[in-house]
Amino acid sequence: MSLDYVKFTPGFGKFMPKEYRDMVEHGPFGKKTAVSQVGTFKEIMEEHPMCAGCAMTLFIRLAFIAFPNPEDTITVGTAGCGRLAISQAAVPFVYGNYGDQNGVASGLSRGLRLRFGDKPKDVVVMAGDGGMADIGFAQTLHSWFRKEKFTTIMLDNEVYGNTGGQESGMTNKGQVLKMAPLGKKFEKMDMLGMAKVAGCAYVATVVPNNPRRVESVIKKAILIAREVGPTYIQAYTSCNIEYAIPTDQVMQDAKDVENDRYKFQEYITDEAKEHLATLYGYKEYLPKPAAAVTKG
Amino acid sequence: MYLVANIDQEICAATSCKLCTQYCPEANTIQYDTEAGKDKGLKYGSAYVAVDRCKGCAQCVWVCDNMAKHKAIKMEMIDQIGDQALTPNITYQEKNTKAVLASPWQS
Ligand SMILES: Cc1ncc(C[n+]2csc(CCOP(=O)(O)OP(=O)(O)O)c2C)c(N)n1
Ligand code: SF4
């Protein structure tokens, strides 16, 4: 939880694996790295067992690049595919019981605030749609109602992917899946609407076929959660296995779904805008100069 | 044998789009060498694939063909493409990476 935890004990560097040395020497710690520079610095995510061509993997990869201070961040996850990648990064990862992630993150972020005072320590929850909208639904909503200051990211693949294709609250109506052979009978849940009602200061949808946008919404969500209140990002991260999308068509699918039901939406409270403008120099949120009064 | 992505340096180094590096789902896999191809008079440097990390999904091919419209990436059998970038032979430099190409079959 500080820059020191990634550094080598003097004299021991030479015994460390190359990947580790590269990460310490050329990783993003203590620097400002951006999606536009990928391929030239060592990313903090290492190899993992996620499926080839998985859009969720791409999203998680971009998320790690977007963290404003990876050295001061803790990720929280739960059962589901995402944890297989989230846990393979040089950022401490807490594995909550299935559905507990927002409860665990609440305690963690409060504890960090007590321990470190004003020094920002970011807590980021990343969990699947089943873990968040079904099993962890109460804990998710209650953390928002309590205005817990951390970021919640739903990896929405519209299915229970890790357990082989059951429908979730986030599956679309009529969708036939391996373990929903008659098709889902109910509408996709409106978690975005609920996040707003429950008091999130920032709510956004995003699809990984726009890496720069993924980077921008994650940065904003984390920075706002530091002082203003809970933030929620809902990311479409298709399951190419359960939805039988050929891996080279995953980005085409992301584009189609973005145009269909995942159009970019961003909701930000005035308080959050002011916070980004004054503390982090977001020019687009600076108050507009008052228009010149026209003489009448 | 299995397929991995192979980037044509001549085409890649004539542009500077870097899109594939942002769309590969695997971290530290499509790397960028800003000096590659400069000896041949090409301007921008080139992306290349760490073949030992590539999972063969061909997403980069779709991105290069359909978004960048450069058609610089092809999926090829790993034993047919000669010397390749492998993670142990990649060095990270300031704002650049460089690979000593080697055959995946001798290491
Ligand atoms: C308490 C509990 N119940 C059930 C499971 C089994 N389980 C593991 S992953 C999973 C589904 C995950 O689906 P989702 O949250 O949508 O994430 P995805 O795998 O689709 O990313 C289930 C039901 C568990 N690990 N713990
Ligand atoms: S084929 Fe897939 S894993 Fe391999 S370099 Fe291309 S995008 Fe990355």
Side-chain angles (χ1 to χ4, degrees), chain B residues 5 24-26 29-30 49 54-60 75:
Chain B
C24 172
E26 300 303 315
T29 301
I30 304 192
V49 177
C54 172
K55 285 185 180 166
C57 67
Q59 235 172 76
C60 52
M75 299 307 293

Side-chain angles (χ1 to χ4, degrees), chain A residues 223-292:
Chain A
L223 295 176
I224 293 169
R226 282 184 184 170
E227 276 102 21
V228 185
T231 56
Y232 174 58
I233 294 172
Q234 188 174 304
Y236 173 68
T237 56
S238 66
C239 177
N240 55 306
I241 304 296
E242 295 306 332
Y243 280 79
I245 309 164
T247 55
D248 63 349
Q249 295 300 311
V250 164
M251 283 300 119
Q252 178 67 52
D253 166 78
K255 212 170 138 188
D256 297 344
V257 171
E258 183 178 30
N259 292 334
D260 173 41
R261 59 180 179 277
Y262 247 95
K263 288 190 185 69
F264 177 56
Q265 292 182 43
E266 193 179 45
Y267 159 87
I268 173 165
T269 62
D270 289 340
E271 192 191 356
K273 281 185 192 167
E274 196 191 319
H275 170 78
L276 287 185
T278 48
L279 276 177
Y280 299 103
Y282 277 74
K283 289 202 186 69
E284 66 266 42
Y285 297 131
L286 282 173
K288 303 258 175 315

Side-chain angles (χ1 to χ4, degrees), chain A residues 18 39 43 50 61 209 247, chain B residues 23-24 28 32 55 57 90:
Chain A
K18 178 182 184 296
E43 292 170 56
M50 300 281 276
R61 173 182 177 227
N209 70 350
T247 55
Chain B
Y23 282 85
C24 172
N28 302 303
Y32 207 83
K55 285 185 180 166
C57 67
I90 292 173

Side-chain angles (χ1 to χ4, degrees), chain A residues 21-124:
Chain A
R21 285 201 311 274
D22 285 340
M23 190 196 70
V24 173
E25 284 151 22
H26 302 283
F29 297 110
K31 299 176 200 153
K32 294 262 172 287
T33 46
V35 165
S36 57
Q37 301 158 344
V38 289
T40 59
F41 64 90
K42 173 76 177 172
E43 292 170 56
I44 47 186
M45 197 159 102
E46 270 303 327
E47 286 170 285
H48 51 68
M50 300 281 276
C51 305
C54 174
M56 191 184 288
T57 314
L58 172 58
F59 178 84
I60 294 167
R61 173 182 177 227
L62 295 170
F64 276 117
I65 298 165
F67 287 177
N69 293 73
E71 65 279 10
D72 287 310
T73 305
I74 295 185
T75 50
V76 181
T78 192
C81 295
R83 46 89 196 243
L84 300 169
I86 304 166
S87 55
Q88 302 307 312
V91 167
F93 171 68
V94 180
Y95 183 67
N97 202 349
Y98 195 39
D100 279 2
Q101 61 279 355
N102 278 43
V104 170
S106 299
L108 191 59
S109 83
R110 288 190 199 189
L112 291 169
R113 266 165 233 278
L114 285 174
R115 167 69 179 79
F116 294 99
D118 290 341
K119 185 161 183 0
K121 299 283 176 186
D122 302 320
V123 175
V124 181

Side-chain angles (χ1 to χ4, degrees), chain B residues 57-70:
Chain B
C57 67
Q59 235 172 76
C60 52
V61 178
W62 188 89
V63 166
C64 194
D65 289 358
N66 296 286
M67 292 177 86
K69 307 219 186 303
H70 293 139

